[in-house]
Each structure stands twice: as C-alpha cells, then as structure tokens.
Amino acid sequence: MNTGPKKILFATIGSLGDLHPCLALAIELKSRGHTVAFAATPFYRAKVEQCGFAFMPLRPDWDPTSGELVAQCENIRRGPEVLLRKLILPHLSNTYADLLAAARDTDFMIAGELVYAAPLVAEKLNLRSASAILSPCTFFSVHDPPIMPTAPELAILRKAGPRLHRIMLNLSSRMIESWWRPVRALRRVEGLGPGVNPLLHDKFAPGLVLALFSKCLAQPQPDWPPQTVQPGFAFYDTPHSAEPSDRTIAEFLAAGEPPIIFTQGSTAVHHPGDFYRVSFEAVRRIRRRAILVGADPSAVPEAPDVLVLRYAPYSEVFPRAAANVHQGGSGTTGQAMQAGRPMLIVPFGWDQPDNAARAVRIGVALSVSRKRYSPHRAAQAMQRLIDEPRFQQRASSVQKQMQAEDGVSSACNAIEELLLRCTVG
C-alpha cells in the first residue's frame, strides 16, 4: 500500500502498558518508510530514543514506577477518579501546550485515550488522527457491559439488557460531569467546539479507532464507533518461539517441571503489597516451582525451586509455565492468552476486573480479588488450573485462534488505508 512517507506522531500518557503497543506500531510504521516520533511521559525518553524515534516530552512529568504514585490509585473504587482528577486533568493545559507544539509539523497523530488533550489538538490543527484503545471496557458498550472498578457489584446485572445498561451509563455520565470542567474550559479558551463527552465520545478519533485487543477477549459491538477497526493485540516483545535469552531463566526452566509464573505487570508491580509473599507461600503449599517476575528478592525467602527476577520477557516465560498468575492488565492478559496456558488473575484496578471476568467467561482463567488473595485461595485456584483439563484445553484453543491475528500489521494497514484516503481525498 503506497501512501508515500508520512510524519506520524504517537501521543501517550501512562505506564509501559500504554507505551509498548505504541512502540510496536511505531517500529512497523518506520519499517514501511514513515518518519515516526513520540510525545510521551518524559520518564520514557531513553526507552523511546533507544528504539530510534524522536522524543518530545508530554506533561505531566511523573515517574510511573513510583510506588507512592501507584499507591494513590490503589483503592479499586476510587482509583480512576484519583488518576483523572488528581494526576492527569489538573495538568491538561500543559499537556495541550506540549502536544500542540509536538504535532505542528506532523501529518498524522495516534493518541492513547488518557491523552485528553489529543482531540483538542487535532481540532485546533485540523490534524488527521487515530485513537488507540487498549481494553474492551473503555468502549462502555451497553451490549457488552464492562465490570466497572468503581462499582463491581453491578456485575450481577450484566445480562439485564442494553436498555437498563444505557440508563445506568447515562446516569454515571451525569454523576462525573464535573470531572470534565478542565477540558471544557480549555476548549473555550482555545476557541474550539464544546465537545460532547471526553470519556464516552470525544476520545474516539473521527477517522479511525484502533481496538488493540483480540476478538477472543471481546467481540465488536453495535454501539462501538463505526470507524473502529479491531486488529488484535499489538505486542512489543520477542517472538514466542524464541528460546530464553537469559541464561538464568533458561537453566531454571530446564531444571524441572514447568513453573507457575507470577507477575504484577508494569504498574501494580511498583506497589505490590503482599502479592509476592502470598504467592510464595501458595506454591509451597502445592509443591510447585515458581518464577516471581518483578519481585524484590528481599521480599520472599530464598528457595531452590523459586526464581526471583526483577524482569523477564513474558514471551519467554509465559508459554513455558504450568499457569500464569497476573494482575489482568490488557497487555499482560493478551500475552498470557497468546501463550496458551491457564491463568489466575488478581485484579488491581482500572480495566483489570473486566479483563479478568472476560478471561473467566472464555474458560482460560480463574480470578481472585486482590483483597481475598491468600495462600489458601491462591493454592486452591492454581491447583484447579493444573488439575482440570478444561482450562488447558480452552487456553490452547484461544491460542490457536489468536495465531490467526496479526495485530501490529493489521493496525498499520488500517492506518495506511486512512492516510491513503486522506491523500486521495
């Protein structure tokens, strides 16, 4: 597809879980001849520049690995409000100014949904853009209602039908209308239109919305924006067929039965609480080997059948696990699904309770809430995942379905198709 080389800008705020899919797409677009740059959290400058991309800082200037920052969002009900009202929206004017400067000399922008300045910048510059949506729950479909971390008890109403869920969604939207005052104020100052709703409408770019998750996790819904394309997950990782690149990992995996892998993803890992200690005690109860990814070695006792690592590529360890235990972030869930192994999900917050419920519904997972995660419950759940063949059978089936998806290539095709239409138009 010949669109001619374009200048493409990625705008993202958040954790590595937000950055990595953008890097995956950026690498592919660069290989197709486009010039790619990033406007992102300053903390990630070195990582982005090491990948060969120009970098422009995007405020707020925070440290996503700060345990103190992560702890502010620890309450599963109030976490989204704290994230938006305390950590993101108070800095909206600065984000807008930074992104406006970064986007002036670009042909196309791809923005994460936490970049609430992106729709304003696109309107101000009359810039073509796309939205990158990483989780099914943030489409807020009334036909496939998500489990909301602010009100998980409403999950019992999942099958109540679109009419009730539309009423609930409209009520919830009115309840948080005051959150968006900074957005509306900035729109007035900049002479832009009033917008509709930053969370439910405006974050979806009018030209293209990329649903960057597998249809195995969530099917397209009739109330998704009509410009939505669902390519699948965009993984920034090595191929799953690769042998472990770390000698310590390779030797441990070769030394015995498949271990259980424990991880807290890219955010919760910086404020894990007692997750790794509980996990260690749980595997001792069922006499299984384990790899604790992201754990502080001082947080658990030394044991010859437990390997503690600050980091390990999921593509190298997940496929070789007896089961994978994780927090349910979108990228981690996708990696675990693609690995073809059963999983236990311990949700921290945000999209994770919904991802966990979806994985349970498709038969590849069990879930235990963070509050109820104990050595006894974790051991019971892991033993079930290993002993009951249906979990492995479903995990293998999902893995096979996902092998037909090529999220990165398909997403880039959709981007280039839009660029071509814009050029021809």
Side-chain angles (χ1 to χ4, degrees):
M1 182 181 310
N2 185 12
T3 64
K6 301 294 183 183
K7 296 179 181 178
I8 298 175
L9 176 70
F10 283 87
T12 179
I13 291 174
S15 69
L16 286 175
D18 299 283
L19 177 66
H20 279 172
C22 295
L23 284 173
L25 299 182
I27 290 169
E28 175 66 16
L29 288 168
K30 183 180 179 181
S31 75
R32 298 184 182 196
H34 301 289
T35 300
V36 182
F38 274 77
T41 305
F43 183 85
Y44 294 125
R45 175 186 288 275
K47 186 176 186 69
V48 170
E49 290 181 342
Q50 285 171 5
C51 292
F53 302 116
F55 183 90
M56 287 150 284
L58 194 62
R59 289 173 286 182
D61 186 359
W62 58 21
D63 178 357
T65 68
S66 165
E68 181 180 349
L69 185 146
V70 175
Q72 293 182 57
C73 304
E74 182 177 26
N75 186 295
I76 198 166
R77 291 178 180 270
R78 294 204 59 211
E81 180 178 3
V82 171
L83 177 67
L84 295 179
R85 302 189 73 183
K86 184 175 180 180
L87 301 179
I88 291 182
L89 292 176
H91 304 277
L92 182 67
S93 294
N94 289 332
T95 307
Y96 176 81
D98 292 343
L99 187 56
L100 189 66
R104 285 194 182 279
D105 185 31
T106 194
D107 300 310
F108 191 76
M109 176 171 65
I110 303 166
E113 60 183 293
L114 290 179
V115 189
Y116 288 103
L120 285 69
V121 169
E123 184 178 341
K124 186 76 170 182
L125 299 179
N126 193 26
L127 179 64
R128 298 283 186 175
S129 64
S131 304
I133 308 298
L134 305 181
S135 302
C137 73
T138 58
F139 278 97
F140 299 102
S141 172
V142 300
H143 299 274
D144 181 20
I147 291 179
M148 301 309 300
T150 52
E153 63 276 3
L154 295 181
I156 62 173
L157 300 176
R158 172 176 168 76
K159 297 182 179 180
R163 183 176 180 181
L164 176 61
H165 285 289
R166 188 172 288 108
I167 292 171
M168 293 167 57
L169 183 62
N170 290 336
L171 178 60
S172 299
S173 177
R174 286 196 292 270
M175 290 174 64
I176 65 171
E177 178 65 24
S178 63
W179 294 15
W180 309 116
R181 286 172 183 163
V183 179
R184 303 200 191 287
L186 184 56
R187 280 185 168 277
R188 288 193 298 270
V189 168
E190 291 297 312
L192 303 173
V196 180
N197 182 295
L199 184 66
L200 303 180
H201 182 274
D202 300 344
K203 71 181 180 185
F204 299 121
L208 176 63
V209 175
L210 295 170
L212 294 174
F213 49 83
S214 173
K215 291 179 181 178
C216 295
L217 189 64
Q219 289 287 320
Q221 298 301 318
D223 55 349
W224 285 9
Q227 68 274 25
T228 301
V229 174
Q230 187 177 8
F233 289 104
F235 295 123
Y236 172 71
D237 207 342
T238 53
H240 279 73
S241 59
E243 287 300 314
S245 55
D246 185 282
R247 183 176 178 180
T248 301
I249 298 174
E251 290 177 350
F252 183 83
L253 291 170
E257 64 183 3
I260 298 174
I261 311 296
F262 297 85
T263 182
Q264 284 279 273
S266 60
T267 299
V269 69
H270 302 296
H271 190 69
D274 61 357
F275 173 80
Y276 290 109
R277 179 190 61 76
V278 170
S279 301
F280 180 89
E281 294 179 13
V283 292
R284 306 305 286 174
R285 291 189 179 204
I286 60 174
R287 299 182 180 180
R288 300 290 305 198
R289 298 183 344 124
I291 298 180
L292 308 182
V293 180
D296 181 344
S298 65
V300 296
E302 289 188 19
D305 53 355
V306 176
L307 179 63
V308 181
L309 300 169
R310 282 295 194 182
Y311 171 78
Y314 293 157
S315 62
E316 295 187 2
V317 294
F318 277 7
R320 295 167 174 83
N324 292 299
V325 183
H326 60 88
Q327 87 293 0
S330 182
T332 310
T333 301
Q335 289 274 17
M337 290 169 64
Q338 184 157 293
R341 295 291 184 269
M343 63 185 93
L344 173 61
I345 302 180
V346 186
F348 182 90
W350 302 296
D351 60 340
Q352 296 164 11
D354 185 64
N355 291 336
R358 292 175 185 276
V360 170
R361 287 200 298 271
I362 63 176
V364 301
L366 293 172
S367 180
V368 177
S369 72
R370 188 176 177 90
K371 190 175 293 187
R372 292 173 56 82
Y373 188 65
S374 66
H376 174 69
R377 291 191 182 95
Q380 277 191 326
M382 291 186 295
Q383 197 66 62
R384 283 188 61 195
L385 292 172
I386 294 168
D387 290 347
E388 297 180 25
R390 63 188 178 96
F391 291 107
Q392 181 57 61
Q393 290 166 2
R394 280 298 297 146
S396 297
S397 176
V398 166
Q399 179 192 41
K400 186 175 181 180
Q401 293 174 60
M402 287 182 61
Q403 286 172 347
E405 300 175 342
D406 187 346
V408 171
S409 180
S410 298
C412 292
N413 288 345
I415 292 166
E416 290 194 322
E417 286 171 9
L418 178 58
L419 289 170
L420 184 60
R421 290 200 302 272
C422 295
T423 301
V424 173

